[in-house]
Amino acid sequence: MTASILAGLCLLAQAQAQAQSAGTPGTETMAAPAAKTGSAQDAKKQAQKDAAKLGTVVVTGIRASLAKALDTKRNADAIVDAIDAEDIGKFPTTNVAEALAQIPGVTLDRSIPATQRVSIDGMDPSLNLTLLDGHPVSQAMWLFGDNPNRGFNYSLLPSEILGRLEVYKSPEARLPEGSIGGTVIMHTVQPLDVAANTVSGTVGFDYNDMVKQSKPNASVFYSWKNQASTFGVDISAQHFEQTTSRQGLEVYSYSPVSSLAASNPALQSEIASGKIKGSDEMPNNVSASNFQQVEKRDSLNANLQFRPNEFWESRLGLMWMRDNLDNVNQSVYVWPGLRPNGITSLTEGANGIITGGSSSDVACKGDTAGACATKAITLADNFARQSTVTTKGADWQNTFHGDGWALSTDVGVSTSSNPMTSALKELAYGGSYNWSLSKGIQFTDPSTANDPDYWADYGWGGNYATLMYKARDQFAQIDFDKSFDGFINQVSVGLRYASHWESQTENVYGGAALETLSEIGYGGLSDLAGASALGLWSSSVNHVQALDAAAIRAAVLGSPGFPGFSDAVSYWDNTWAVKQKNTAAYLQADFASGDLHGNFGVRLVHTENTEQGFNVPGTCLSADTWNCDFPQGFGYVTARTSRTDVLPAVNVAYDVTSDLVLRGALSEVVGYAPYNQMAPYFEANDTVLTATAGNPDLKPYRSINADFSGEWYFADQSLLAVSFFYKDLLNYIVNASQYELRQNGSWTLPGYQTATGAAQIADGDCTASGMCLYSVTAPVNGGRAKVKGGTVNYQQPFSNSGFGVRVNYTYSDGSTAAGGPLPYNSRHSFNIGPYFEKGPYSASVSYGWRSKYLAGGYVAGAPSTTIDGYKELDASVGYQFLKNFTVSVNMLNLLNSTYYAYLGSKTQLSDEYKTGRQFMLALHFKFN
């Protein structure tokens, strides 16, 4: 097999592409079932001819859209699901991720609705691979302090540019490596597949009922080709705005009561009486949280296609996108664990969790020195973050056809960058309060708690941070296909080179003036409809807040002499770069004999990783100064690793009858850890003493996958299918937490020691020099894991009534060798989607539910949490008037479902959010 690969590679000259006759990524090659006449090779050629016809995007209704998707699935050699452009347009969706949720085995994480993460067959989103016309798209991280992952952020890609997409559940040797769950291939609309002078677009707005705001949206698509259909160009432009609001309750960490009772007689008395136990876990802080964002995305995409004859086709794809994701995150949180002497009582709940309590203190007005709040403290974190992701890409594909052969090339580049900033004003209030895990916060004296003059910097004026995040992909591929008559009807060989580089550089500046909330800019009391819907106390719903993002930034950046301090430790801990280079060769043979068809092959991948980050001596960390001489082996260090993987893949399909297809697949696959996890970095939250770190010694995920399916096409546009999957992961990366003594990066910021630092020393968490005990979460090679499960998929239109339905159910049981859960794996999930379309009317409903699953935290050092079962109800109605116009209303999250995350038992709350219902009114037009 190796000799065959090398022989094939001698024919190659440059890199990346897809052979049109092989049905490779980026080409329109899946089609309606070929007639069961003639040889298998003739049938395959007929299917390819039909594919060219189906490649033309003609909007003919929901049923036609579903029929095209079934045609793709029916004729594939692998286990594949598909979505046509109509699915994205006429079912209740705002982005590609929500359209993908209609596919069996696909589930979404909805912590922040606009940035959904997609799991396939129970695997972490980082372990899926997403390609646009066969090539990668770079993605810069958008949220300051986020945990970046390799999972594709579908909200960054306008759905209007897509003609269809496919999800490969079982791999083929020709497909790029990096996926254990599934490979998603998105196809843009090509100009030679569309009628000349086609103009289409949408004008509308969306409305979020929780914040009572509406935002405009507009898109336009134009395609032209000459009369001979040898040259064409299309271009699409979009302006998209969306309000995202996430309101609710957060708990940042827990501590045993025994660690807080040493100096508090009231707690000692409650322990002695048996009311509470020293082993009970108590929330260190309970926060009323309000995340606010208005996303504004502008994009341009263009395709140029040249097909002068039947022997040569050339395509150039260009993309540009700017996504503004500025946001304000305001959290008001009581912190009994920071001032344990003020605790007057605690309430024990189930499973040894303290579910409520009280703290008492005397409020002080204008306490910028931090002299008050010695027994009870409430903090208000006001983050104003700027985030603009700019993504660019170019992709050039060529295909040459001869007598029974095809040669394809693809080369391109994609870049993405985001110069993020974060301004923080952290204010304190020293009055008494009650807290509850079910009700949130209630201040004892609202008259002082709601007075902005009682909220002030407590000896520390906040900070300003900049984080430059960059990503770049370069790729090149060449493929050669040769057709034969006989059992082996096609042999494909190819070579692919892909390089990905990702980095971040962070700087933190201090020295802001000490101010009260009145001086910063008072925005009145909040009115959090989400907190109200959760049944929280009035102080969680209505509390003081800063005026706006501009006021927060001005309070920091406008301080006299700012910046007065640049933190060295923050720079060292959060600056890193990773480069991964993959060189791969493959050999694949397609076979067919009678009713049997499929492919087998092998992919040879050589991976080289270069990881860079700071290794800083402890003396430099404790001094937290730029004046540090790095000894040999310290400073900005580089680690390099390399490995070679041999990845075989076999797909077999058997047409039992003209309506019944059985499939089986066996493969070995690899996946890779998120880039930041591979870097030698350390990102900390210095206030709550949690951190996340990288690990340059991580090995790739590696798995042996087995897939089986049976598909019964029992009627026109109808399907009943079952599938089974089994993944034996030979190496699975897990997050492990341990305590580590590190220098507190905020220790030398003006006022930090006299405020938070003093309390951390008193609690025994930090030394006088600022060496603190952090709970550090870092990835480690976790050994083996297994995932087994299956899906049931039913789809049928009901005669000519206009009614139809789609239903699917997925079971996925995943665990590590130690019995721990796998991230993002829900054991049960299902979707029910009835629809109606007749004449000018269309309507659809989608109800989805997934059971609980493990998910990582969204901020540095946040522990992994369990997300409770989540349900989603969406609906869409449309009416076509005149010939070229349609009006539609999409309604999402109609149940305003609660996103509930917990630690350990369900009584140990981590996060609880509401995000509101979303309504989108749109006018669609199309002329050709």
Side-chain angles (χ1 to χ4, degrees):
M1 187 170 289
T2 302
S4 299
I5 292 175
L6 294 175
L9 295 181
C10 292
L11 301 171
L12 308 180
Q14 34 175 312
Q16 187 87 273
Q18 300 89 10
Q20 199 166 7
S21 60
T24 50
T27 58
E28 304 289 341
T29 57
M30 302 300 181
K36 295 286 183 176
T37 58
S39 67
Q41 181 69 2
D42 291 337
K44 188 167 186 175
K45 289 180 179 178
Q46 182 60 44
Q48 291 168 352
K49 291 179 181 178
D50 293 339
K53 298 176 184 177
L54 288 174
T56 302
V57 178
V58 179
V59 177
T60 54
I62 294 175
R63 290 182 59 166
S65 166
L66 298 178
K68 290 180 184 180
L70 286 189
D71 291 338
T72 298
K73 182 178 182 67
R74 173 68 177 83
N75 288 282
D77 287 334
I79 298 175
V80 176
D81 285 291
I83 297 177
D84 188 77
E86 194 83 352
D87 275 358
I88 302 172
K90 285 203 172 182
F91 288 95
T93 60
T94 58
N95 58 48
V96 179
E98 288 162 343
L100 280 169
Q102 302 301 318
I103 289 179
V106 175
T107 51
L108 306 183
D109 178 75
R110 300 178 184 268
S111 174
I112 299 180
T115 56
Q116 293 151 333
R117 298 178 176 181
V118 173
S119 302
I120 300 176
D121 285 352
M123 299 308 299
D124 188 301
S126 283
L127 299 179
N128 304 318
L129 184 65
T130 300
L131 305 171
L132 179 64
D133 287 332
H135 61 81
V137 177
S138 291
Q139 296 182 100
M141 184 176 72
W142 74 270
L143 179 60
F144 207 111
D146 193 5
N147 288 324
N149 71 92
R150 294 188 187 230
F152 191 79
N153 185 356
Y154 292 94
S155 72
L156 298 182
L157 189 68
S159 58
E160 286 84 354
I161 70 171
L162 298 183
R164 65 187 177 91
L165 59 83
E166 299 147 355
V167 179
Y168 279 77
K169 302 287 190 66
S170 65
E172 297 183 354
R174 64 183 176 85
L175 296 176
E177 65 284 346
S179 169
I180 293 179
T183 299
V184 180
I185 302 173
M186 302 180 292
H187 303 274
T188 59
V189 178
Q190 297 298 316
L192 296 187
D193 295 332
V194 181
N197 295 313
T198 293
V199 180
S200 62
T202 299
V203 178
F205 67 91
D206 62 67
Y207 174 82
N208 185 299
D209 72 339
M210 194 167 74
V211 294
K212 296 178 173 54
Q213 291 183 5
S214 60
K215 296 297 176 183
N217 296 292
S219 66
V220 63
F221 170 86
Y222 174 72
S223 183
W224 172 89
K225 63 181 177 181
N226 60 8
Q227 286 188 340
S229 291
T230 59
F231 177 73
V233 58
D234 66 38
I235 185 168
S236 62
Q238 183 197 51
H239 176 77
F240 173 85
E241 293 189 23
Q242 177 176 264
T243 299
T244 296
S245 182
R246 188 183 68 180
Q247 301 174 6
L249 207 60
E250 296 177 340
V251 175
Y252 302 141
S253 60
Y254 285 77
S255 294
V257 172
S258 58
S259 67
L260 307 172
S263 58
N264 188 313
L267 292 183
Q268 294 170 11
S269 175
E270 290 193 332
I271 294 173
S273 67
K275 181 183 177 182
I276 61 175
K277 295 185 287 292
S279 59
D280 288 343
E281 291 287 323
M282 189 195 82
N284 286 321
N285 25 54
V286 176
S287 171
S289 177
N290 182 19
F291 176 88
Q292 311 157 58
Q293 180 182 73
V294 177
E295 179 181 8
K296 297 180 180 180
R297 181 179 65 225
D298 296 298
S299 62
L300 289 171
N301 295 270
N303 287 296
L304 289 82
Q305 191 174 14
F306 182 51
R307 190 190 296 156
N309 51 53
E310 61 181 314
F311 306 110
W312 176 38
E313 178 180 341
S314 184
R315 295 188 297 176
L316 176 65
L318 302 171
M319 68 175 300
W320 173 88
M321 184 166 43
R322 182 179 60 205
D323 203 4
N324 183 285
L325 294 149
D326 292 355
N327 57 86
V328 175
N329 196 11
Q330 295 180 307
S331 301
V332 173
Y333 54 103
V334 297
W335 198 344
L338 188 64
R339 300 286 192 267
N341 289 344
I343 299 174
T344 57
S345 67
L346 295 177
T347 301
E348 183 185 61
N351 304 309
I353 303 300
I354 299 297
T355 59
S358 301
S359 290
S360 179
D361 204 352
V362 177
C364 294
K365 192 173 185 178
D367 181 28
T368 55
C372 296
T374 57
K375 291 185 177 182
I377 189 170
T378 302
L379 296 178
D381 282 354
N382 298 275
F383 285 97
R385 301 180 177 122
Q386 294 174 309
S387 174
T388 302
V389 179
T390 302
T391 304
K392 305 173 185 178
D395 171 51
W396 183 32
Q397 303 178 4
N398 286 275
T399 303
F400 305 91
H401 294 278
D403 185 12
W405 62 268
L407 178 69
S408 301
T409 64
D410 190 0
V411 60
V413 62
S414 175
T415 64
S416 188
S417 63
N418 187 359
M420 290 175 276
T421 69
S422 174
L424 166 64
K425 290 297 287 187
E426 188 175 75
L427 310 177
Y429 167 75
S432 304
Y433 56 78
N434 300 315
W435 64 267
S436 165
L437 285 182
S438 60
K439 295 293 185 179
I441 306 166
Q442 186 63 46
F443 295 114
T444 305
D445 182 8
S447 63
T448 57
N450 294 341
D451 187 336
D453 289 330
Y454 279 80
W455 293 80
D457 290 312
Y458 58 118
W460 178 53
N463 61 31
Y464 182 77
T466 64
L467 194 156
M468 172 57 79
Y469 203 98
K470 295 182 179 180
R472 182 181 68 243
D473 282 275
Q474 296 173 297
F475 50 90
Q477 181 164 328
I478 187 166
D479 300 85
F480 179 77
D481 307 318
K482 183 68 174 72
S483 298
F484 301 93
D485 291 324
F487 177 70
I488 302 294
N489 57 59
Q490 182 169 280
V491 173
S492 304
V493 293
L495 178 67
R496 182 176 188 265
Y497 171 82
S499 171
H500 180 92
W501 172 79
E502 196 154 326
S503 72
Q504 74 171 36
T505 303
E506 182 174 347
N507 285 282
V508 178
Y509 305 95
L514 305 179
E515 299 174 298
T516 65
L517 179 55
S518 294
E519 293 170 323
I520 293 169
Y522 178 45
L525 295 181
S526 64
D527 186 11
L528 305 187
S532 179
L534 289 171
L536 302 187
W537 279 328
S538 60
S539 292
S540 292
V541 177
N542 309 118
H543 51 256
V544 298
Q545 61 182 347
L547 179 62
D548 53 24
I552 298 169
R553 281 195 293 269
V556 178
L557 298 176
S559 296
F562 185 87
F565 182 88
S566 177
D567 185 58
V569 171
S570 296
Y571 172 81
W572 292 330
D573 284 347
N574 299 289
T575 297
W576 54 266
V578 170
K579 185 174 184 179
Q580 178 174 327
K581 295 190 297 183
N582 281 23
T583 304
Y586 76 88
L587 170 67
Q588 178 171 308
D590 295 359
F591 61 86
S593 177
D595 296 317
L596 184 71
H597 60 97
N599 58 62
F600 61 90
V602 64
R603 191 171 188 89
L604 185 67
V605 183
H606 180 70
T607 303
E608 298 179 12
N609 291 324
T610 303
E611 301 109 350
Q612 296 176 306
F614 277 96
N615 181 22
V616 182
T619 53
C620 296
L621 291 173
S622 61
D624 196 7
T625 175
W626 295 98
N627 298 322
C628 179
D629 294 326
F630 294 132
Q632 186 174 0
F634 290 89
Y636 197 62
V637 298
T638 299
R640 291 184 174 88
T641 59
S642 65
R643 62 180 291 118
T644 300
D645 294 294
V646 180
L647 308 175
V650 179
N651 289 274
V652 179
Y654 179 63
D655 298 338
V656 179
T657 67
S658 60
D659 300 323
L660 180 62
V661 182
L662 299 180
R663 303 181 192 272
L666 187 64
S667 60
E668 188 167 354
V669 294
V670 294
Y672 305 99
Y675 295 101
N676 70 312
Q677 290 190 3
M678 301 163 60
Y681 85 105
F682 184 91
E683 185 170 356
N685 186 319
D686 296 327
T687 305
V688 297
L689 299 182
T690 61
T692 185
N695 183 357
D697 296 324
L698 290 177
K699 298 177 182 178
Y701 294 83
R702 191 177 184 90
S703 179
I704 296 175
N705 290 0
D707 297 272
F708 306 93
S709 74
E711 303 157 11
W712 180 28
Y713 299 86
F714 60 89
D716 186 32
Q717 304 159 29
S718 302
L719 170 70
L720 178 62
V722 295
S723 70
F724 304 93
F725 53 85
Y726 179 81
K727 306 178 191 296
D728 185 3
L729 290 118
L730 308 180
N731 180 57
Y732 194 88
I733 298 170
V734 297
N735 282 328
S737 296
Q738 63 180 14
Y739 285 97
E740 184 176 339
L741 195 64
R742 298 278 301 200
Q743 174 63 35
N744 190 312
S746 300
W747 204 255
T748 55
L749 293 177
Y752 187 92
Q753 291 184 48
T754 59
T756 305
Q760 291 170 331
I761 293 173
D763 289 342
D765 295 328
C766 299
T767 67
S769 63
M771 295 299 291
C772 300
L773 198 63
Y774 283 82
S775 175
V776 182
T777 302
V780 297
N781 297 311
R784 302 190 69 161
K786 286 185 168 70
V787 181
K788 57 182 181 295
T791 69
V792 179
N793 185 18
Y794 166 66
Q795 172 180 319
Q796 184 179 15
F798 300 120
S799 187
N800 293 319
S801 67
F803 289 97
V805 69
R806 294 194 297 183
V807 180
N808 66 69
Y809 164 77
T810 301
Y811 172 82
S812 180
D813 182 15
S815 62
T816 64
L822 298 185
Y824 299 96
N825 185 298
S826 286
R827 181 163 293 187
H828 305 280
S829 63
F830 66 83
N831 288 278
I832 301 174
Y835 63 86
F836 172 82
E837 184 176 54
K838 196 166 189 178
Y841 300 99
S842 65
S844 63
V845 176
S846 176
Y847 177 80
W849 176 84
R850 66 181 299 185
S851 61
K852 67 178 183 179
Y853 59 98
L854 186 71
Y858 268 80
V859 296
S864 295
T865 59
T866 298
I867 311 302
D868 199 16
Y870 189 89
K871 55 185 179 292
E872 175 90 4
L873 177 64
D874 307 321
S876 177
V877 295
Y879 174 72
Q880 181 177 356
F881 63 98
L882 302 177
K883 177 183 177 181
N884 306 104
F885 296 92
T886 300
V887 64
S888 68
V889 179
N890 274 9
M891 298 159 280
L892 276 74
N893 192 24
L894 288 173
L895 300 177
N896 195 18
S897 296
T898 300
Y899 184 92
Y900 185 90
Y902 57 93
L903 299 166
S905 67
K906 196 172 178 179
T907 57
Q908 193 174 9
L909 171 70
S910 176
D911 309 304
E912 186 179 23
Y913 302 124
K914 292 283 189 179
T915 55
R917 300 172 184 86
Q918 190 172 357
F919 302 89
M920 293 157 289
L921 175 65
L923 173 67
H924 312 271
F925 60 89
K926 183 173 184 179
F927 301 90
N928 54 22

